Amino acid sequence: MTHALPLSTLGRLVRGTGPGLLLAHGAGGGIDANFGPVLDVLAARHTVVGPDYPGTGRTPRAGAPLSLDGLADELVATAVEEGVETFAIAGYSLGTAVAVRAAARHPERVTALVLTAGFAHPNPRFLLAARMWRDYLRAGDLAGLAGFLSLIGVSAPALDAVGQDDLDTALKNTAATVPPGTPDHLDLLLGHVDVRADLARVAVPTLVVSTTLDQLVTPYHHRQLADGIPGARWAEIPTGHLPFVERPQEWGALMRDFLDEVRA
């Protein structure tokens, strides 16, 4: 069964030429924030469509709670509106669940999946971190939030190598750039994300990229994705939850090479 597509309200980036590639970013992120450092390598061989979720980047905040089905359908609709009828989906973090749900609801359009730092359903440890993230936001403590996200989002080796001045600058930038839609993304994550039943229905080539030093979405979750999707491939990057910060060249090359192989 496939589902009708809505009119997409999502602002979007469109770059490149070639086979379609739809991007699904993470909670509290955005296309430029989460995929900016790898856009050139992806757009060199694909028509890349990057929709921003409500309240991030090019898209105003939603007036109603988000749903996983609604977000997945709008992402697919965005690509179709841009003339990209079929496409692979590269999902990051929350975007992996969006990508899996899109593949389950629109199997005629999705040709492959790349799932990085992802999860099918948050476990209690992950939910604790997400609640703390939301609590910092509700308290208006953006400096505290920046510190928390740095400790849990950046790998220990990367954080250990940062000097004090650079760390102070990074914390200020993080606090100043929290997208307004982040609370809505966290509400979705905390209440309505579970694609475990969808995994066995994924019938396209899939690469699961494990960020092996990830303390937010740990490798436990990455393995659950890979084990649940028939024939899924596995790759590892020694990075925390932010491969676009710590290992962008390696991440971009992994995605490019897998998608090249699928196309061939």
Side-chain angles (χ1 to χ4, degrees):
M1 176 182 177
T2 59
H3 298 265
L5 293 176
L7 180 67
S8 176
T9 64
L10 303 179
R12 74 283 311 251
L13 171 152
V14 182
R15 291 220 359 225
T17 58
L21 176 60
L22 178 61
L23 305 181
H25 67 75
I31 291 301
D32 299 288
N34 293 169
F35 288 98
V38 296
L39 275 175
D40 285 346
V41 70
L42 297 178
R45 304 184 189 183
H46 296 86
T47 300
V48 176
V49 181
D52 287 308
Y53 301 164
T56 66
R58 302 159 185 82
T59 306
R61 190 171 181 180
L66 303 179
S67 74
L68 192 61
D69 286 353
L71 202 52
D73 288 353
E74 278 213 73
L75 255 71
V76 170
T78 304
V80 173
E81 288 172 7
E82 295 298 331
V84 181
E85 297 286 339
T86 60
F87 39 81
I89 307 179
Y92 162 72
S93 194
L94 174 62
T96 62
V98 177
V100 168
R101 181 57 54 86
R105 288 174 64 83
H106 305 279
E108 76 286 1
R109 297 196 181 276
V110 179
T111 59
L113 295 176
V114 180
L115 309 175
T116 301
F119 62 96
H121 182 64
N123 66 358
R125 181 189 182 280
F126 185 12
L127 291 172
L128 173 62
R131 282 194 296 269
M132 292 177 67
W133 186 354
R134 188 173 64 178
D135 289 346
Y136 276 114
L137 280 174
R138 287 179 171 174
D141 185 2
L142 297 183
L145 174 63
F148 170 71
L149 291 179
S150 295
L151 283 172
I152 201 168
V154 182
S155 72
L159 207 53
D160 284 344
V162 175
Q164 188 64 55
D165 289 345
D166 289 339
L167 178 58
D168 290 344
T169 298
L171 292 174
K172 289 178 183 177
N173 289 339
T174 299
T177 55
V178 177
T182 302
D184 307 324
H185 306 169
L186 294 173
D187 286 344
L188 171 65
L189 170 62
L190 286 164
H192 305 286
V193 174
D194 188 349
V195 297
R196 288 174 292 184
D198 296 327
L199 299 180
R201 299 165 56 195
V202 174
V204 295
T206 299
L207 175 67
V208 174
V209 180
S210 176
T211 41
T212 59
L213 303 177
D214 200 326
Q215 299 179 86
L216 180 60
V217 184
T218 63
Y220 164 87
H221 291 286
H222 315 156
R223 181 52 69 184
Q224 187 179 37
L225 280 175
D227 289 348
I229 296 174
R233 291 206 210 168
W234 178 266
E236 296 182 350
I237 304 179
T239 174
H241 192 63
L242 312 177
F244 44 87
V245 171
E246 295 187 39
R247 302 265 184 163
Q249 291 184 328
E250 188 174 344
W251 186 37
L254 271 177
M255 293 190 282
R256 177 198 64 205
D257 293 349
F258 174 73
L259 293 171
D260 282 352
E261 186 176 338
V262 168
R263 182 171 56 176

